[in-house]
Amino acid sequence: MTASTNLADICVVAAAEAFRGNGEIFGSGMGTIQTLGVRLARATFEPDLLVSDGEAFFVANNLPIGGSDKVIEGWVPFRQVFDTVWGGRRHVMMGASQIDRYGNSNIANIGPWKQPKAQLLGVRGAPGNTINNKTSFFIPKHTSKVFVEKVDMVSGIGYDRVAKMSKWTRDNFCLPRVITNLCVLDFETPDNRMRLRSVHPGVTVDDVIANTGFELVIPSDVPVSRGPSADELSIIETLDPRGLRNKEVA
Amino acid sequence: MARDKRMTLDEAAAHVKSGMTIGIGGWGSRRKPMSLVRALLRTDVKDLTVVSYGGPDVGLLCAAGKVKKVVYGFVSLDSIALEPHFRSARQSGSIAECVEYDEGMLQWALYAASLRLPFLPTRAGLGSDVTVVNPQLRTVTSPYADGEELLAVPSLELDAAFVHLNRADMHGNAQFLGPDLYFDDLFLGACDTGRRFLSCEKIVTSDELLKNGSFHTMKINRSMVDGVIESPNGSHFTHCTPDYERDEKFQSAYVKAAADPESWSAFASRFLSGSEADYQAEVKKWHDEQKAQA
């Protein structure tokens, strides 16, 4: 029984589901929906997750977005974050300005790198994240400008590139989910091409296809993304009392 | 008795010559040695190679036309994602050369230099376009049974380094009181002896350091530092917690001013044409004006 069909709540639950089964690792979210997803997962079905305040501390309590009433259970300055990434004990949910069918992602620049049409962040930690720890994505506006045939700068690596890399990389590489305002996607196909996993309530498979710039793997039966239970909704509201999540998918 | 290394911002900046490679500590818009950067803006050096987890330091040096090359993992103002001057410099092609690394690769490059190693191996960057836009990068094969091919991140040696810490003594022993040292120790470690400059909020006696925070905060010792500059509010407008938070209002004004050449030139002539004391006084005046308007 769904307690909410609000799009942001559906996205938060889908983000939380990406962390199911992860156990005692660092669940890291870049952005409001991603952060709420990790914190919801930890507050419900994945209690062993470690969750940070987005600065330099692990917090043990259910910290609301922007909250300062922290129960600090550990110190993770950037150097230790990098160590945790390279040690593989982390699952990060990032954003992406472009992503392709194998999960190659771009946050660096649009247009040629030499002189970009739009300089974005730079590759940041995307190369190291994707090759070292689980990396998922949340994309607030699913369009064919984001879901493209070929990204302009491969910041985070995808399955086609990994297929040509070392055995270690092939064995360890994992992009669990891509969550958008329309649907949930994964790479659980024989050749790791992007697959439609579920559509959000009110969204059709055709809506997703029409807004994706490449051919997705579409199973014969596509379920509807689940909404939050009453308990989950109340936790989401505790974690985000000001409803900042709604601004991300407006 | 160890040496007294106190000096002024301008004395430190005078050690930087055109064409040098300069590493700047901090992270994004956090605990940046901004007063040292502002001192550098007052010199006539140019053609710098700037190495940074970039924020407004990179932006200001680009806007002043002092940069030939940037080595970065990102350039961001944190609460405002994109740095406006860096952005327009990249989009107009005005930076002659860029080296874009994964954040961890940059750490490795500085760490290799600190340890006097030619390179350090990693997986970070492999398979990504970082290896395409940096054709100088090489790989190395593990000599052990696994035989894995790894990226060999080359050592990145600096000619000069600027960092800003919360407290220091006059000998260069220094302390961070905020949540993160970032990679300041590696910027100092990667730099030649002679041009490693550390500004701080307050110079204290050596025995006072331990009264401010636990020994874990004393990560910088005097063998890593050549010059110490007391520069209160020296990280402005970036944060220097717990001494002060980021000046978000002023950072927004900076971004707004950067939007067109006319408003930028007005901003630069008001805030960046005088001494550090002039800058701090103008910032204070600006805040008073904002309050009066509100």
Side-chain angles (χ1 to χ4, degrees), chain A residues 55 75 77-79 82 86 113-116 118-119 121-125 127-128 131 154 157 161 166 168, chain B residues 27 30 73-74 87 90-92 98 100-103 107-108 122-123 127-129 148 179-180 182-183 185:
Chain A
E55 187 73 33
W75 183 38
F78 282 116
R79 195 162 321 190
F82 291 3
W86 292 17
W113 178 83
K114 189 85 194 151
Q115 188 177 341
Q119 174 65 38
L121 290 166
V123 296
R124 293 216 72 151
I131 202 166
V154 175
I157 58 177
R161 291 192 173 208
S166 70
W168 188 96
Chain B
W27 173 281
R30 307 177 200 195
F74 63 85
R87 210 172 183 211
R90 284 281 287 138
Q91 291 168 193
S92 69
C98 281
E100 184 164 330
Y101 277 173
D102 169 83
E103 293 166 357
Q107 178 197 6
W108 242 213
T122 180
R123 295 189 183 96
S128 78
D129 281 353
E148 189 179 349
D180 204 323
Y182 311 117
F183 299 94
D185 53 338

Side-chain angles (χ1 to χ4, degrees), chain B residues 264-292:
Chain B
W264 179 250
S265 125
F267 183 97
S269 87
R270 174 165 186 190
F271 294 105
L272 301 170
S273 61
S275 68
E276 177 65 14
D278 294 336
Y279 172 83
Q280 297 290 352
E282 275 308 310
V283 169
K284 195 169 173 300
K285 222 165 98 188
W286 181 85
H287 275 290
D288 291 341
E289 290 164 16
Q290 299 297 307
K291 267 182 218 138

Side-chain angles (χ1 to χ4, degrees), chain B residues 31-103:
Chain B
R31 205 164 42 70
K32 281 284 173 184
M34 295 303 289
S35 58
L36 279 165
V37 171
R38 288 187 284 268
L40 202 50
L41 296 178
R42 290 192 289 272
T43 69
D44 55 8
V45 300
K46 53 183 178 16
D47 297 330
L48 294 173
T49 293
V50 179
V51 181
S52 181
Y53 289 97
D57 51 336
V58 174
L60 282 170
L61 291 168
C62 285
K66 296 197 171 297
V67 178
K68 185 183 71 183
K69 179 174 170 184
V70 188
V71 184
Y72 60 96
F74 63 85
V75 182
S76 171
L77 300 175
D78 292 318
S79 51
I80 298 171
L82 305 176
E83 213 299 331
H85 293 303
F86 175 70
R87 210 172 183 211
S88 51
R90 284 281 287 138
Q91 291 168 193
S92 69
S94 72
I95 310 170
E97 206 183 327
C98 281
V99 170
E100 184 164 330
Y101 277 173
D102 169 83
E103 293 166 357

